[in-house]
Amino acid sequence: MSIFEKIIQKEIPANIVFEDDLCLAFTDISPKAPVHILIIPKTPIPTAADLKPEHASLMGHLMIKATEIAKEQGLAEHGYRLVINCKDHGGQEVYHLHIHLLGGKKLYGLPV
Ligand code: 5GP
């Protein structure tokens, strides 16, 4: 079981900013920007490379929630970055698909 599944199960604590039946959003333990939130599906899809057509609705839901959270966090006016790292070359460390929401300052390069 990945660390994110343990967060979903509430076996380890996290600063949860949003939760519904399909997804969970919580602040990154090692933030790379003033706002750094992870949006994850509750179903354990390991990587973006594992996405299938039946995940289209779920992924759309995650993207919409990411933008709603960005607005709630005050990021909508100046903008923000949404990132999905995929496997080793993409820099993925936790093999439970997640969207990074980063903002609160001008971002240069690749923060995550
Ligand atoms: P990845 O490199 O897989 O795209 O991103 C994984 C992210 O998860 C990293 O930014 C890392 O700081 C964060 N992370 C790893 N373990 C934990 C944890 O136990 N709690 C929280 N809140 N974030 C974590």
Side-chain angles (χ1 to χ4, degrees), residues 14-30:
N15 179 30
I16 294 170
V17 298
F18 178 79
E19 179 171 16
D20 67 12
D21 290 346
L22 296 174
C23 71
L24 190 66
F26 51 93
T27 55
D28 196 290
I29 202 168
S30 178

Side-chain angles (χ1 to χ4, degrees), residues 3-4 7 12-14 26-30 32 36 38 85 91-95 98 100 112:
I3 193 100
F4 289 176
I7 289 175
I12 64 168
F26 51 93
T27 55
D28 196 290
I29 202 168
S30 178
K32 315 303 187 299
H36 188 173
L38 304 172
N85 296 324
Q92 185 175 7
E93 294 172 7
V94 179
Y95 277 60
H98 48 281
H100 294 260
V112 293

Side-chain angles (χ1 to χ4, degrees), residues 77-106:
E77 182 184 357
H78 295 291
Y80 47 88
R81 188 174 292 176
L82 300 175
V83 176
I84 299 176
N85 296 324
C86 181
K87 296 187 176 178
D88 183 37
H89 282 193
Q92 185 175 7
E93 294 172 7
V94 179
Y95 277 60
H96 182 119
L97 181 76
H98 48 281
I99 301 172
H100 294 260
L101 166 62
L102 298 138
K105 70 173 184 181
K106 187 160 177 76

